[in-house]
């Protein structure tokens, strides 16, 4: 039977029995979904390409050391590795002095889109409020911060957020609820004006 007609499970079995071509078929089958998930998190094609390569290497290492189990689907497992790798990347960048996450055009990854047509004064005011909002979002716990970013910056539905972060929809909704509660508390405590 031709390799592309085999199931993920069959291809994995073949790879673990020494057939490296089976792994190539498996990666090609899922690379677009994994790359898209990474790109959505980092919003930069070049960075996404670099992280995607690292994710594939990490997945291959885990497969070779038999860290994959058949309980879940291969794609879900691969997406979980991608998600965790991106979170680790952001932690490394956050902890590196003087570094910030930017797109290939040099813009802050958290920057809102669609303010180009506003007058200069209004643009500066919006940018200032964006920075204050970003600072508050940065203070949220990682799981809450991620849901806020995916929902409000990338317009993910809660179903998509749940699938992307490998949790139930109720968990994703709960994280958003707690994030909003925490943001309100910070706004009140710090008397921050972020209303647009």
């Amino acid at each position: 039977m031709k390799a592309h007609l085999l199931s993920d499970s069959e291809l994995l079995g073949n790879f673990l029995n020494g057939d490296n071509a089976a792994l190539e078929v498996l990666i090609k089958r899922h690379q677009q979904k994994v790359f898209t998930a990474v790109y959505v998190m980092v919003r930069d094609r070049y960075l996404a390409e670099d992280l995607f390569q690292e994710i594939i290497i990490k997945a291959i290492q885990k497969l070779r050391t038999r860290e994959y189990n058949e309980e879940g689907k291969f794609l879900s497992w691969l997406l979980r590795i991608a998600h965790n790798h991106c979170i680790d990347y952001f932690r490394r960048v956050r902890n590196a002095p003087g570094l910030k996450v930017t797109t290939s055009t040099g813009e802050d990854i958290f920057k809102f889109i669609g303010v180009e047509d506003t007058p200069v004064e209004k643009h500066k005011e919006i940018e200032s409020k964006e920075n204050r909002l970003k600072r508050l979002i940065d203070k949220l716990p990682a799981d809450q911060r991620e849901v806020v970013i995916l929902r409000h910056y990338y317009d993910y539905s809660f179903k998509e957020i749940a699938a992307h972060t490998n949790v139930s929809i109720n968990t994703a909704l709960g994280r958003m609820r707690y994030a909003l509660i925490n943001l309100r508390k910070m706004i009140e405590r710090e008397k921050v004006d972020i209303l647009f």
Side-chain angles (χ1 to χ4, degrees), residues 55-134:
I55 288 159
I56 295 303
I57 290 167
K58 186 177 279 190
I60 291 169
Q61 289 169 341
K62 286 180 178 288
L63 287 171
R64 287 199 169 126
T65 56
R66 311 278 177 162
E67 291 181 52
Y68 173 77
N69 61 47
E70 288 287 337
E71 290 173 19
K73 290 187 176 180
F74 177 74
L75 177 58
S76 298
W77 178 78
L78 199 52
L79 286 171
R80 192 163 50 251
I81 290 173
H83 170 79
N84 291 339
H85 192 74
C86 289
I87 296 297
D88 289 344
Y89 167 78
F90 284 123
R91 284 187 187 130
R92 285 194 309 271
V93 169
R94 179 184 302 262
N95 293 330
L99 285 179
K100 70 175 186 172
V101 184
T102 59
T103 65
S104 56
T105 58
E107 293 181 279
D108 191 317
I109 203 164
F110 287 98
K111 188 169 177 60
F112 281 110
I113 296 168
V115 295
E116 294 79 17
D117 297 327
T118 60
V120 174
E121 298 81 20
K122 186 67 176 168
H123 186 323
K124 286 181 180 175
E125 181 187 336
I126 290 172
E127 194 170 290
S128 173
K129 289 179 179 182
E130 288 170 6
N131 290 336
R132 281 176 274 184
L133 180 59
K134 179 197 167 202

Side-chain angles (χ1 to χ4, degrees), residues 8-175:
D8 286 359
S9 183
E10 291 169 320
L11 287 168
L12 279 169
N14 289 353
F15 169 69
L16 294 173
N17 288 325
D19 181 4
N20 288 330
L23 181 63
E24 190 176 329
V25 172
L26 199 54
I27 289 169
K28 281 185 180 174
R29 180 178 291 174
H30 298 297
Q31 70 183 6
Q32 191 57 50
K33 286 183 180 174
V34 175
F35 180 81
T36 300
V38 173
Y39 179 75
V40 163
M41 287 192 75
V42 302
R43 295 291 292 222
D44 181 88
R45 177 160 294 278
Y46 299 111
L47 176 58
E49 287 170 359
D50 287 346
L51 292 175
F52 176 77
Q53 295 301 322
E54 293 170 10
I55 288 159
I56 295 303
I57 290 167
K58 186 177 279 190
I60 291 169
Q61 289 169 341
K62 286 180 178 288
L63 287 171
R64 287 199 169 126
T65 56
R66 311 278 177 162
E67 291 181 52
Y68 173 77
N69 61 47
E70 288 287 337
E71 290 173 19
K73 290 187 176 180
F74 177 74
L75 177 58
S76 298
W77 178 78
L78 199 52
L79 286 171
R80 192 163 50 251
I81 290 173
H83 170 79
N84 291 339
H85 192 74
C86 289
I87 296 297
D88 289 344
Y89 167 78
F90 284 123
R91 284 187 187 130
R92 285 194 309 271
V93 169
R94 179 184 302 262
N95 293 330
L99 285 179
K100 70 175 186 172
V101 184
T102 59
T103 65
S104 56
T105 58
E107 293 181 279
D108 191 317
I109 203 164
F110 287 98
K111 188 169 177 60
F112 281 110
I113 296 168
V115 295
E116 294 79 17
D117 297 327
T118 60
V120 174
E121 298 81 20
K122 186 67 176 168
H123 186 323
K124 286 181 180 175
E125 181 187 336
I126 290 172
E127 194 170 290
S128 173
K129 289 179 179 182
E130 288 170 6
N131 290 336
R132 281 176 274 184
L133 180 59
K134 179 197 167 202
R135 187 174 53 78
L136 295 179
I137 290 171
D138 280 347
K139 292 181 178 181
L140 291 171
D143 55 351
Q144 294 174 24
R145 183 172 59 247
E146 182 178 32
V147 172
V148 170
I149 291 167
L150 290 173
R151 180 77 182 119
H152 289 287
Y153 289 85
Y154 305 130
D155 205 27
Y156 266 37
S157 69
F158 282 104
K159 183 178 180 182
E160 290 170 321
I161 291 170
H164 184 75
T165 58
N166 226 15
V167 299
S168 70
I169 291 178
N170 285 340
T171 299
L173 287 166
R175 287 176 179 176

